Amino acid sequence: MNVSLWAWAAFAAFVVLMLVLDLFVLHRRAHEVALREAGLWSAVWVGMGLGFAGLLWLWQGGGTAQAYLAGYLIEKSLSLDNVFVFAVIFSAFAIPARYQHRVLMAGIVGALLMRGAFIAAGLAVLELFHPVIYLFGAILLFAAVKMLRGEADPQPQRNRALRVMRQVLPATDRLDGQRFLIRDGGRLLATPLLLALIVVEATDVVFAIDSIPAVLAVTTSPFVVYTSNVFALLGMRALYFLLTGAAARFRYLRPGLAVILAGIAVKLLVADLYTFPTWASPAFIAAVLAVVTLLSARDRRRRPGGNRPGAPPRVRMKEHAGT
């Protein structure tokens, strides 16, 4: 798929416009995002993501649109796991709910740039050394097994990037509104918001190692891979505020994500022996997510109230005194 420069420029302008609108108009003042607001914006972003698939269908045909839809579903489904990890991070740093949007916004801007670099590097490696697809397949299988085992989420306070940052820039436990940095006695100090942002960015790097190869298993078009990533990332904040209070309801989420990653890994590993039709990936992902939703809903009806041992925790955010 050859995409002209004007298409890249138009898409970049759209992303910048949405970020500016979000940061300086819709969320100019810090506030706790209500469930209704989060639900509305989740619907808006999903509608935009699916609408872009329709635009690609009209512009480049059904094959390109199906590849984009598969990539979008992969990123969207894997972002569900990100949501629960972000909740743990905010809880560890005691970030009040009204400031979490600010951290996520800055994190997504960084992720947009980082994902672009990851995608470019992945495509370059695939072009230069085709057998690397087997390495990508092995990475995805390893991620699937780790997710299926339900290994514990990373502990934010032990994050290596955070330890390095604290050696370079002193930190304070005091919040000062939405500021990431403050001055105290002539010293520049990092606030808990900046520390949480560092861990969020470092965590996204880990998630990208799994998700980027998964999307590259569907398509190697830079435009399709990047746009599917962008739409999933832009909708992640609203998804976070929508789902953090209902984390325990998704009992079968991680097994479902493990199945998706394993299925994509198999597609990569047998790519030289068999080529799956383009529609197979989005259909497979949608089917797995549907089964996960139905099983989780049924289990919730049978066992009302309470968290299952090992399920993602319900996280209640507390503010520091004096904030």
Side-chain angles (χ1 to χ4, degrees):
M1 175 184 175
N2 294 321
V3 178
S4 59
L5 185 60
W6 71 262
W8 281 102
F11 184 74
F14 164 77
V15 173
V16 172
L17 176 63
M18 296 306 299
L19 292 175
V20 170
L21 179 66
D22 190 299
L23 185 59
F24 296 106
V25 179
L26 299 175
H27 296 93
R28 184 177 181 180
R29 295 182 179 180
H31 70 282
E32 185 173 347
V33 179
L35 184 62
R36 182 176 179 180
E37 180 184 353
L40 175 62
W41 277 107
S42 290
V44 168
W45 282 116
V46 169
M48 285 187 179
L50 297 179
F52 191 74
L55 181 62
L56 284 178
W57 194 299
L58 295 174
W59 177 33
Q60 294 287 338
T64 299
Q66 290 170 9
Y68 162 84
L69 186 59
Y72 175 74
L73 289 175
I74 289 170
E75 288 293 341
K76 198 70 175 175
S77 58
L78 292 179
S79 69
L80 296 173
D81 205 38
N82 296 37
V83 163
F84 303 138
V85 175
F86 292 162
V88 173
I89 293 171
F90 287 140
S91 179
F93 290 100
I95 305 299
R98 68 176 183 270
Y99 298 143
Q100 291 171 16
H101 183 278
R102 178 84 167 186
V103 176
L104 290 175
M105 180 68 177
I108 286 171
V109 172
L112 290 173
L113 299 175
M114 183 271 296
R115 295 289 179 101
F118 267 51
I119 291 168
L123 289 171
V125 171
L126 278 175
E127 186 174 348
L128 291 174
F129 190 60
H130 175 72
V132 79
I133 63 171
Y134 300 118
L135 175 61
F136 285 174
I139 290 173
L140 293 179
L141 274 180
F142 176 74
V145 171
K146 187 169 65 172
M147 191 172 291
L148 194 59
R149 288 178 177 175
E151 294 185 7
D153 293 324
Q155 297 183 14
Q157 300 290 354
R158 297 181 180 179
N159 184 273
R160 291 182 181 179
L162 178 61
R163 292 204 301 267
V164 172
M165 182 65 185
R166 278 180 162 162
Q167 292 175 359
V168 176
L169 183 65
T172 176
D173 292 331
R174 179 170 58 88
L175 285 168
D176 188 358
Q178 298 189 80
R179 295 181 180 180
F180 290 106
L181 294 168
I182 61 173
R183 286 196 175 275
D184 184 16
R187 292 196 310 162
L188 195 62
L189 301 177
T191 69
L193 262 65
L194 180 57
L195 300 181
L197 174 61
I198 293 169
V199 180
V200 165
E201 292 286 13
T203 302
D204 187 69
V205 171
V206 177
F207 281 119
I209 293 174
D210 296 337
S211 66
I212 296 301
V215 180
L216 291 177
V218 176
T219 177
T220 55
S221 167
F223 188 77
V224 172
V225 176
Y226 189 64
T227 53
S228 62
N229 265 261
V230 168
F231 275 108
L233 285 171
L234 290 177
M236 187 183 295
R237 289 159 301 156
L239 185 67
Y240 167 81
F241 291 109
L242 182 65
L243 295 183
T244 47
R249 296 176 183 270
F250 296 88
R251 177 181 181 184
Y252 297 100
L253 173 63
R254 289 197 170 181
L257 296 179
V259 170
I260 291 174
L261 287 177
I264 298 168
V266 169
K267 182 179 180 181
L268 275 176
L269 294 174
V270 303
D272 291 332
L273 301 176
Y274 179 77
T275 301
F276 290 89
T278 306
W279 57 264
S281 292
F284 169 71
I285 297 166
V288 172
L289 292 177
V291 170
V292 165
T293 302
L294 291 174
L295 290 177
S296 297
R298 186 186 66 175
D299 184 75
R300 188 68 180 177
R301 287 195 300 268
R302 290 181 176 179
R303 302 168 64 178
N307 285 356
R308 178 183 63 88
R314 288 183 179 272
V315 179
R316 295 191 60 151
M317 306 302 173
K318 298 180 181 179
E319 297 189 24
H320 285 297
T323 60

